[in-house]
Amino acid sequence: MSLANLTKPWAPMSYGFLDASAKRELRRKMIKAVCVPGCQMPYASREVPMARGWGTGGLQVSLTLINPAMRVKVIDQGADDSVNAASIRRFLARVSGAPTTLDTLDADLIQSRHRIPEEILREDQVLVLQVPNPEPLRSVQPNMSIARQMHGDADYGRMWLQLYEQIVRSGRVMQGASYPSMVNGRHVMTPSPIPRWDVPKLHMARHLTILSAGREKRIFAVPPYTRVEPLVFDDVPYRVEDHGGLTCYRSGATGFFMNEIPQGDGTSTYEVSDSEYGVKAIRARDGEVVAMGETWYKDGKMPQ
Amino acid sequence: MTLTLDPPRIVKTAPLVQVRGVSKSYGRVVALRDVAATVYPGEVLGIVGESGSGKSTLLRMMNLEETPDTGSYTLDLPDVDGNLFALDRFARRMLCATRIGIVYQNPHLGLLMKHSSSGNVAERLLVAGERRFAVLREKAKDALAASEFPLERLDAPPIELSGGMQQRVQLAKAIALEPALLLLDEPTTGLDVSVQALVLDTLKRLQRDRRITMVIVSHDLGVIRTLADRVMVMRRGEVVEAGLADQIFQDPQHAYTQQLVHAKL
């Protein structure tokens, strides 16, 4: 009696690291999340070979959605080549056999931390965002049981109190990332730590966005063509970062979200945060034929 | 020639608040036993009694923070009807936010200590649905001015303020939406005598200017005497005596009230 004749022979039917029941639970929770946009659905976050807080929530969603025919792109702070992004991409490819890509236009599944790509996503693409803290009410209501009641009652007055405090203290809204946003006019969600620049991209977007927090065990979603409105006062308009006029020193691209690179003489230069878009811009400038997708921001402005 | 005399104002108007047959027990401890209270518009009702007599429990019920085992509670307002204890959580919250103001003895219960004072007042307006920053700021300023809060400390967090100032912030928060009913739970306990007098002055002036209906709970007869038109004396969860303030203080009938009044004087 050996292990070989106790187990079934290998067949290419199970892939993606998670077992079938884990994937089924995640699928069910994702469907629920899509049905109630912005509402946080609890799930049993599984162990994956990565530390909590490094994108385990996003990874589990990716592992569930992936199949060997999908093209996967993973970004971290806009870059495809950072250690975290490269490791997750390699892991996804190894356990599913899926081909990887860096090009936003080629990707079927995009897992991201901190950014939404600059090129407009299509209906057939899925964006998975890693969320460290899924509860927008945490800063104003430390008791999570009461916070859940507040979500149930749509009792979001205190979110504006937070904005009020920032304006009073600093003269403007200081919330830089995870800007609380109302989804479908009902649930306030934190859109993961994407910059203010990226929040308008979710509004009436063509693609499906799934946000997942592995440590906090919550999934929520923004289905295609869903309203996502950042919380604002009626008389204080929403402002994205003033990056509209900045030019990338490497690619020459203007009007996108930039990384600031401080220089020795106290000044700063900037480079496009979406690294693959920057690479494509350089290749196009050097005379290569490159497919550049339509971007959300045009001339540094988001068309209304 | 006939002289027509107006009946006293109170007789002509219907009561604003009616609490009837309220009982509440926590396990075997009976907090309230068949308590009734009536408050007329523009009137100040004082509730006195020793610690554990159920006066604060009654006030918390009037703020819809707790539900009694039996009893009913009605507010005579245009768009409010029925027994308020039967409202669901959502309706309760809206009613509490817009129609009832409360000042707690402990400012930590009523205030967000690390937010700004004006933000604390603005929170009330935000819950009621105000979403214009300029209006929030203006109204918060007005309410703080009405409770005689020094406006140069508008944006200081309550944790940095003195006890008297914290009570003023609570008061401003409570009156920001011009509530029909203002509940005061030992508002001056823990303040020193001179600050206590100033806060009482503010309350008195507010009552005179805005004719807010108030219910004030205190174990301090001096506070009740200064503010209240009518007094209810509670002991062990029951109302032992009720009547006009002067009557209770000058001619107490119940043995416990006599003891209480004499202990003070």
Side-chain angles (χ1 to χ4, degrees):
Chain A
M1 193 70 75
S2 71
L3 195 64
N5 47 26
L6 283 176
T7 52
K8 277 193 267 182
W10 180 89
M13 56 182 293
S14 179
Y15 45 79
F17 187 78
L18 295 175
D19 59 83
S21 67
K23 287 199 208 172
R24 182 171 66 177
E25 195 222 350
L26 270 143
R27 274 196 298 271
R28 289 181 168 185
K29 287 297 152 67
M30 281 188 252
I31 291 170
K32 270 193 173 183
V34 167
C35 293
V36 192
C39 185
Q40 297 167 49
M41 301 296 171
Y43 72 105
S45 183
R46 298 321 203 265
E47 287 288 332
V48 285
M50 196 163 70
R52 295 272 191 238
W54 287 77
T56 54
L59 184 60
Q60 287 173 74
V61 169
S62 297
L63 289 171
T64 306
L65 292 175
I66 208 164
N67 67 50
M70 268 183 161
R71 284 184 176 274
V72 191
K73 174 182 164 80
V74 181
I75 44 179
D76 175 5
Q77 305 263 16
D80 292 272
D81 47 5
S82 77
V83 173
N84 195 200
S87 311
I88 293 178
R89 185 170 52 241
R90 203 171 56 225
F91 177 69
L92 284 172
R94 179 179 296 167
V95 297
S96 69
T100 58
T101 179
L102 303 183
D103 190 348
T104 306
L105 300 178
D106 280 350
D108 299 308
L109 180 69
I110 302 170
Q111 181 175 335
S112 166
R113 168 171 178 261
H114 288 2
R115 283 305 313 278
I116 297 175
E118 296 290 3
E119 286 157 307
I120 296 180
L121 300 179
R122 303 179 306 265
E123 275 97 340
D124 59 326
Q125 292 177 307
V126 180
L127 176 69
V128 178
L129 285 168
Q130 303 166 199
V131 185
N133 179 6
E135 182 52 78
L137 293 169
R138 175 157 290 168
S139 54
V140 290
Q141 177 51 266
N143 185 336
M144 287 299 104
S145 314
I146 295 178
R148 273 196 285 281
Q149 272 189 8
M150 289 166 78
H151 277 295
D153 294 349
D155 177 11
Y156 292 127
R158 282 203 180 172
M159 295 307 299
W160 275 274
L161 180 61
Q162 206 183 2
L163 302 180
Y164 176 96
E165 289 292 307
Q166 291 174 7
I167 297 179
V168 163
R169 202 166 302 147
S170 317
R172 65 185 174 88
V173 174
M174 299 298 284
Q175 187 87 33
S178 303
Y179 196 97
S181 306
M182 178 74 85
V183 183
N184 201 26
R186 175 60 182 84
H187 284 93
V188 169
M189 70 156 187
T190 161
S192 87
I194 56 174
R196 291 199 300 270
W197 180 271
D198 284 350
V199 177
K201 294 177 182 175
L202 288 171
H203 178 65
M204 296 309 268
R206 293 177 211 157
H207 68 279
L208 167 66
T209 307
I210 294 183
L211 303 99
S212 175
R215 187 182 47 202
E216 306 288 332
K217 304 178 174 61
R218 294 284 184 280
I219 283 186
F220 48 111
V222 179
Y225 302 103
T226 305
R227 281 178 291 140
V228 176
E229 287 135 347
L231 302 185
V232 282
F233 287 110
D234 294 350
D235 50 356
V236 183
Y238 182 75
R239 275 182 65 188
V240 300
E241 289 81 355
D242 298 322
H243 290 191
L246 302 178
T247 302
C248 173
Y249 85 101
R250 293 169 73 180
S251 66
T254 301
F256 299 104
F257 191 77
M258 298 284 171
N259 292 336
E260 184 175 358
I261 302 167
Q263 300 296 301
D265 59 358
T267 60
S268 296
T269 56
Y270 296 89
E271 68 171 10
V272 170
S273 160
D274 183 346
S275 67
E276 186 55 25
Y277 188 79
V279 169
K280 283 206 274 185
I282 292 172
R283 282 164 57 199
R285 186 192 61 195
D286 294 349
E288 239 180 281
V289 181
V290 185
M292 302 282 279
E294 201 189 343
T295 53
W296 262 295
Y297 281 82
K298 294 183 176 62
D299 304 324
K301 289 211 172 50
M302 185 86 182
Q304 292 306 310
Chain B
M1 191 177 105
T2 54
L3 183 68
T4 54
L5 284 172
D6 269 348
R9 178 172 50 83
I10 269 177
V11 178
K12 282 197 298 186
T13 51
L16 174 73
V17 181
Q18 275 190 303
V19 178
R20 285 199 212 93
V22 167
S23 300
K24 174 84 182 176
S25 32
Y26 301 101
R28 286 161 60 196
V29 182
V30 180
L32 292 173
R33 186 179 290 129
D34 195 23
V35 171
T38 309
V39 193
Y40 290 88
E43 178 193 48
V44 180
L45 174 70
I47 302 177
V48 281
E50 58 195 7
S51 301
S53 62
K55 52 193 194 320
S56 288
T57 305
L58 180 62
L59 203 76
R60 278 207 302 279
M61 282 179 182
M62 291 172 98
N63 194 36
L64 298 174
E65 283 169 59
E66 261 182 75
T67 324
D69 300 333
T70 59
S72 73
Y73 174 23
T74 55
L75 271 182
D76 181 32
L77 292 170
D79 49 351
V80 182
D81 44 36
N83 182 3
L84 302 187
F85 290 136
L87 291 178
D88 59 48
R89 193 178 70 228
F90 186 73
R92 246 169 218 236
R93 186 166 55 79
M94 273 330 275
L95 186 79
C96 284
T98 55
R99 299 315 191 105
I100 303 172
I102 188 158
V103 176
Y104 296 96
Q105 175 185 351
N106 183 351
H108 285 262
L109 287 176
L111 298 177
L112 299 161
M113 279 300 175
K114 295 200 172 147
H115 287 69
S116 65
S117 296
S118 65
N120 269 287
V121 182
E123 192 215 343
R124 259 302 162 100
L125 304 158
L126 283 166
V127 170
E130 180 59 64
R131 293 288 182 266
R132 287 165 296 176
F133 179 77
V135 176
L136 281 171
R137 190 112 184 103
E138 212 41 54
K139 284 196 175 167
K141 220 182 257 182
D142 288 349
L144 283 166
S147 64
E148 292 168 351
F149 182 86
L151 288 184
E152 65 273 14
R153 307 214 58 188
L154 193 61
D155 296 323
I159 197 134
E160 293 174 2
L161 300 172
S162 67
M165 286 303 149
Q166 290 177 349
Q167 291 307 66
R168 286 178 196 281
V169 177
Q170 276 208 76
L171 186 60
K173 181 177 175 174
I175 61 171
L177 282 174
E178 315 226 325
L181 178 63
L182 180 61
L183 305 172
L184 304 154
D185 187 5
E186 311 256 11
T188 59
T189 310
L191 302 179
D192 69 57
V193 184
S194 58
V195 177
Q196 195 170 0
L198 288 173
V199 173
L200 285 180
D201 263 359
T202 307
L203 283 171
K204 192 108 189 115
R205 197 183 46 73
L206 268 177
Q207 212 278 326
R208 204 175 49 230
D209 295 351
R210 302 196 177 191
R211 300 223 58 80
I212 302 178
T213 311
M214 293 186 194
V215 176
I216 177 164
V217 159
S218 185
H219 61 257
D220 185 343
L221 289 186
V223 171
I224 298 289
R225 173 175 290 211
T226 319
L227 284 173
D229 301 318
R230 273 191 322 121
V231 177
M232 239 166 75
V233 184
M234 289 187 69
R235 193 187 190 204
R236 292 181 192 156
E238 285 177 276
V239 179
V240 294
E241 194 169 352
L244 294 175
D246 291 343
Q247 184 190 333
I248 297 282
F249 286 117
Q250 301 307 327
D251 184 21
Q253 299 295 310
H254 192 273
Y256 175 68
T257 317
Q258 288 170 357
Q259 204 185 333
L260 204 66
V261 171
H262 287 128
K264 175 72 189 170
L265 295 177

